[in-house]
């Protein structure tokens, strides 16, 4: 194996990782990267992830953009779209340019800027991202969005699942991929229930979106590979 | 269960945790907190952990102190003691005041200052720390020292092991304790070999100290409970 895979469990730790020349896979299972995967799978032209709410607001008055903003799980007033994947399967998504800002996921994307390639991963496109990576001959860092800087369950589990699929091509780069892989192996047969018991799922449950959580833990629903090109996320052809 | 246990995987994330009124258990298995446990078990009067090398150097010229300094696994020139537990079992340890600065462990102790109580944990005193905690009726945060800010295997495994022993009294405070517990359960029957394969063990192997690693993964070798009192770590009576 000539390539390696490492895992960063929080955007607050990403500066400790050397991302140059590598593929960074950003993951925010609940729900930013699940939403992005869903939108591109349903024909969105591009997704523009922005870290700051003020920047997202500027797009509200521009023509030709669909805008989504979420903080702490809740939709921000004035934005037509929220952070539920079910709103990214509709007719208006096809061909759309979508601007998204979320609590954790878009922060992680912006903090990965120095990487050679930035991909967006979710359980929904797990295998297609793994298969794409295998064609690239590059080291990988999985960048977990976490929750307001803290490490979380569902993003760590995704890291473990991706590592499992890359075991024939990518050696474990440090301790954290070992932790993520063993954690994934321990709970993967009970993924939906495990994530339903997670801290963030409990936060979201208060907002009555258990359906979202169930959807975001489905594996290989789509075969799209979302990749940053300039300031936009587009589907790899 | 009226109390909870949470886990912070890196000193760089500790500011996200509310430590006030809680017990913080600092862990740096390879090797700072294993060394501290060993020294107190062998009759050291006190251990003074200091974050900065310059502060440790000031003690070199003071009478009545044994001084230890390590960075990146190696002993710092001019300091009589290194970071190997085997040097803390000797006759000169009994009754000694020991000043220690290390790469990760002493940083984690200094960053835990606002806690109600700071304990030092290691596999060597796993059960005695757990039993002490059970008498205190307090929430707990396990503060893993990690490696230069990154999350690591052996400290996370200790967190999982402590959580396992506190399951009847302390509910899981967030996702990270769940991750640590499942990781511990997955590898605990092969602890020595797992930690021997860890990134830090590989770094230490280059320094020819496999014996240290084997010693630091022994469970319940000692029954001492090291606790910060002012600026010193002492054995709880």
């Amino acid at each position: 194996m000539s390539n390696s895979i490492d895992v960063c469990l929080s955007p607050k730790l990403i500066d400790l990782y050397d991302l140059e020349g590598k593929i960074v896979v950003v993951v925010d299972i609940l729900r930013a990267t699940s939403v992005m995967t869903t939108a591109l799978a349903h024909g969105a032209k591009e997704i523009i992830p922005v870290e700051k709410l003020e920047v997202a607001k500027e797009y509200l008055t521009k023509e030709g953009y669909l805008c989504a903003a979420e903080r702490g799980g809740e939709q921000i007033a004035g934005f037509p779209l929220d952070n539920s994947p079910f709103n990214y399967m509709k007719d208006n998504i096809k061909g759309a340019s979508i601007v998204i800002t979320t609590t954790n996921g878009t922060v992680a994307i912006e903090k990965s800027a120095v990487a050679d390639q930035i991909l967006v991963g979710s359980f929904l496109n797990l295998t297609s991202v793994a298969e794409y990576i295998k064609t690239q001959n590059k080291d990988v860092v999985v960048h977990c969005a976490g929750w307001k800087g803290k490490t979380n369950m569902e993003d760590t589990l995704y890291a473990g699942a991706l590592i499992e699929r890359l075991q024939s091509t990518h050696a474990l780069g440090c301790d954290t991929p070992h932790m993520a892989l063993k954690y994934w192996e321990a709970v993967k047969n009970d993924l939906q229930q495990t994530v339903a018991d997670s801290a963030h799922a409990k936060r979201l449950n208060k907002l009555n979106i258990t359906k979202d959580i169930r959807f975001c833990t489905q594996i290989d629903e789509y075969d799209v590979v979302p990749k940053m090109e300039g300031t936009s996320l587009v589907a790899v052809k």
Side-chain angles (χ1 to χ4, degrees), chain A residues 7-19:
Chain A
V7 177
C8 173
L9 293 179
S10 160
K12 284 202 181 287
L13 302 178
I14 196 69
D15 294 342
L16 302 170
Y17 290 76
D18 177 18
L19 305 181

Side-chain angles (χ1 to χ4, degrees), chain A residues 31-228:
Chain A
R31 297 167 289 171
T33 62
S34 299
V35 157
M36 292 167 181
T37 302
T38 302
L40 288 172
H42 286 266
K45 181 184 150 205
E46 61 175 346
I47 293 164
I48 302 165
V50 301
E51 189 176 339
K52 292 199 166 42
L53 191 56
E54 301 78 59
V55 179
K57 274 182 182 159
E58 289 170 15
Y59 282 95
L60 280 172
T61 52
K62 288 185 192 168
E63 227 173 297
Y65 294 97
L66 272 175
C67 297
E70 168 267 355
R71 287 294 182 274
E74 298 195 61
Q75 185 173 359
I76 301 287
F79 283 82
L81 279 170
D82 65 1
N83 204 18
S84 167
F86 293 102
N87 291 325
Y88 294 81
M89 302 169 180
K90 296 173 182 170
D91 288 347
N92 62 334
I93 295 301
K94 203 167 171 165
S97 291
I98 302 170
V99 176
I100 296 186
T101 183
T102 68
T103 312
N104 307 293
T106 51
V107 177
I109 291 174
E110 294 225 350
K111 287 200 169 213
S112 304
V114 301
D116 184 68
Q117 298 180 37
I118 301 173
L119 307 179
V120 148
S122 66
F123 288 117
L124 300 168
N125 66 346
L126 175 63
T127 300
S128 47
V129 165
E131 292 304 317
Y132 170 79
I133 288 170
K134 285 184 191 169
T135 68
Q136 298 297 300
N137 191 29
K138 298 237 174 237
D139 292 342
V140 173
V141 176
V142 184
H143 184 171
C144 298
W147 176 257
K148 297 185 176 176
K150 284 192 183 179
T151 51
N152 78 3
M153 172 191 289
E154 62 276 13
D155 300 343
T156 308
L157 286 173
Y158 170 82
L162 187 66
I163 290 161
E164 186 182 57
R165 274 160 178 76
L166 293 172
Q167 280 188 107
S168 62
T169 54
H170 287 68
L172 306 189
C174 204
D175 286 356
T176 316
H178 185 265
M179 289 158 50
L181 177 62
K182 289 290 167 189
Y183 186 42
W184 165 249
E185 288 173 350
V187 308
K188 67 180 179 181
N189 292 328
D190 199 21
L191 180 63
Q192 290 218 338
Q193 192 52 50
T194 303
V195 174
D197 291 338
S198 73
H200 191 50
K202 283 175 189 157
R203 277 188 292 267
L204 289 176
N205 272 336
K206 289 182 196 151
L207 306 170
N208 202 18
I209 31 188
T210 41
K211 231 176 73 177
D212 285 26
I213 297 162
R214 216 175 307 130
F215 182 76
C216 294
T217 50
Q218 283 186 282
I219 292 176
D220 293 337
E221 186 75 9
Y222 303 125
D223 59 7
V224 70
V225 178
K227 183 182 168 188
M228 287 298 290

